[in-house]
Each structure stands twice: as C-alpha cells, then as structure tokens.
Amino acid sequence: MKSKTPEELRLMREAGRIVALVHQKMAEIIQPGITTKALDDVARQIILEAGATPSFLNYQGFPASICASVNDVVIHGIPDHRVLNEGDMISIDVGACYKGYHGDSAWTYAVGKVSREVQTLMETAKQALFQGLSKARAGARLTDISHAIGTYLEENNCSTPEQYTGHGIGSHLHEKPAVFNYGLQGRGPLLKKGMTIAVEPMVIAGKRQVDTLQDGWTVVTRDHSLAAHYEHTIVITDDGYEILTQL
Ligand code: MG
Ligand code: MG
C-alpha cells in the first residue's frame, strides 16, 4: 500500500466531502414513509451535481448509487420500492468518484422512534468504528485497528461477518489491503503517513453467520438479528488520522 501524493489527497478530500454531503441529506430525509429508491435518487443527484460519479453504480453490476440495508440486512441492500417504517434501522453505504479518486462511507440511521435494542446496536457499532480508528497512526500495524474493533465487539456481545472487510482506497474503490474487523494486533502492513483506508465494521446483534439472497447482493443475518454498519475513509497522519468523508 503506497502513500498518496498531496494532489491525490486533495481529490480524495473532495470525493469524501461529496460522500458526506449525501449522508447529511440522508439524515434529513430518512423518515417513515420514504422508499429506499427515493433515497437512492437523491444520493445520485447530489453526487452528479457535485461533478462526481457514484462509485457503486454498475460496480460489478450493482444497480444503484447507494446500498440501503434495512434491519436484518447487513450490507449491499438494493434500493427498491420498500417503504421505511417507524422503528426500522437503515444502513446507507455510499461512494463517490471525483476526478478518478474515491470516497466511501456508511452510516446507520434510525427511522422515526426506534427501540432501545436498535439504539444500543447503533451506538455499539459506531463506537466500534472509532475504537478501530483510535489505533490508526503512522508507525502502527494495520491489524491494530482490526483487533481494537474485534475486542470491542466481543466485549459488547456483538459479532461481525468475517468474510466482509474494510479496504485500501484511492483510484480504485477497493484496494489492498483488506481491513479485517477482528483478529490479532501487530500484523499486516506498517501504516505510513498518506496511506488511505476505509474502515468499516459491520456489526450484528446476534450470530455472525450471514447469507446472500437470490439477487446476488443482499447480505442478511442468518438468525435475522439486527445489523448496523459504520464506515469512514481516512488518511493516516503522523499522530493519528484525518477523516476524509466528513464535512
Ligand atoms: Mg462503503
Ligand atoms: Mg467500503
């Protein structure tokens, strides 16, 4: 994994800003009664108007600009005419490509008033992301991040689907290395200033086993327990990290 040049980072900051604009809008408009297709339309419009392209649209055949994953859907939910109901939770994953460079970020939103169970899972998953990020700095090893996420999830009786990971990111949406959400610390590449990665714990309230539906994309929990997903694209700095996918 090579460090990005200052010019590359400038483009990734802009891609990240556009992704963050989409999330800002999602937070505003997600409410009971809206369809996931409507969310996708709004997201695509924001990305295009900002002079970028949706990273996910047509990626390996994916048919939309966002992944919209409701309740027991972990990741890769396809937007459709499903209407969101009070009490649902929805994970929105979105990527934008600006002048050849990508930003990628996921966030889970409550739909109206949600149960204590949903609130707790969302909080745990968000904390898992920031526990992982707290280990990101020049001189650390990649799996220091993985280990921090994994131990935090264990302590909070949650699980993660082991086959899905974060990733390097840059001129490709998914670059090496994989950023696992569990495992031993002190392994993998040495982190250096200017490296860019997407850290993204997928967090399940129940068991870690998942299945892919017949559409070939939608990943659901086998035990139908709830799942949440938080992701930021970051750049490694000397004393920590900078989040690229925020305003
Ligand atoms: Mg993503
Ligand atoms: Mg990602």
Side-chain angles (χ1 to χ4, degrees):
M1 180 171 43
K2 273 170 56 179
S3 295
K4 265 62 177 182
T5 66
E7 175 60 10
E8 287 179 306
L9 288 175
R10 189 182 71 78
L11 299 177
M12 289 188 70
R13 268 189 204 96
E14 181 57 14
R17 190 185 72 83
I18 294 163
V19 165
L21 282 175
V22 172
H23 277 297
Q24 185 181 49
K25 191 68 175 180
M26 294 294 114
E28 259 176 58
I29 66 174
I30 286 174
Q31 57 180 315
I34 198 164
T35 66
T36 53
K37 175 80 171 68
L39 298 175
D40 184 56
D41 289 340
V42 168
R44 186 177 58 257
Q45 202 170 350
I46 290 170
I47 293 168
L48 293 175
E49 277 173 8
T53 53
S55 304
F56 297 180
L57 187 61
N58 301 320
Y59 180 83
Q60 295 181 0
F62 190 77
S65 301
I66 61 169
C67 299
S69 305
V70 181
N71 297 338
D72 66 344
V73 179
V74 188
I75 47 170
H76 302 169
I78 299 173
D80 60 12
H81 295 290
R82 173 181 190 151
V83 172
L84 296 181
N85 293 312
E86 179 98 22
D88 284 342
M89 63 191 296
I90 180 169
S91 301
I92 303 289
D93 194 352
V94 59
C97 182
Y98 181 76
K99 296 188 176 169
Y101 285 83
H102 296 268
D104 184 10
S105 172
W107 209 255
T108 301
Y109 300 92
V111 181
K113 192 169 164 39
V114 295
S115 65
R116 177 60 60 88
E117 186 191 1
V118 168
Q119 286 174 36
T120 302
L121 176 63
M122 287 176 58
E123 191 55 35
T124 302
K126 192 197 301 180
Q127 283 308 316
L129 169 62
F130 287 98
Q131 289 288 324
L133 293 181
S134 74
K135 302 297 176 185
R137 68 173 62 83
R141 290 274 174 189
L142 181 70
T143 72
D144 296 349
I145 297 171
S146 309
H147 179 75
I149 293 170
T151 51
Y152 185 80
L153 293 182
E154 253 174 53
E155 286 163 12
N156 287 277
N157 298 311
C158 289
S159 64
T160 189
E162 295 183 349
Q163 62 272 54
Y164 296 102
T165 68
H167 48 92
I169 180 169
S171 56
H172 297 274
L173 176 62
H174 295 131
E175 299 183 351
K176 283 181 180 170
V179 183
F180 285 87
N181 293 311
Y182 65 96
L184 298 172
Q185 60 191 357
R187 308 289 169 92
L190 189 65
L191 297 178
K192 291 179 187 158
K193 183 181 171 180
M195 288 177 171
T196 48
I197 54 175
V199 179
E200 52 176 314
M202 301 103 189
V203 180
I204 299 174
K207 294 196 169 67
R208 66 180 164 79
Q209 283 77 16
V210 295
D211 294 300
T212 304
L213 298 187
Q214 286 215 322
D215 61 27
W217 285 104
T218 311
V219 176
V220 299
T221 57
R222 188 167 297 171
D223 63 8
H224 298 295
S225 58
L226 297 167
H229 183 202
Y230 290 84
E231 173 184 31
H232 271 312
T233 298
I234 64 164
V235 56
I236 303 296
T237 63
D238 282 329
D239 56 355
Y241 61 94
E242 175 192 338
I243 295 176
L244 299 178
T245 39
Q246 72 180 6
L247 295 174

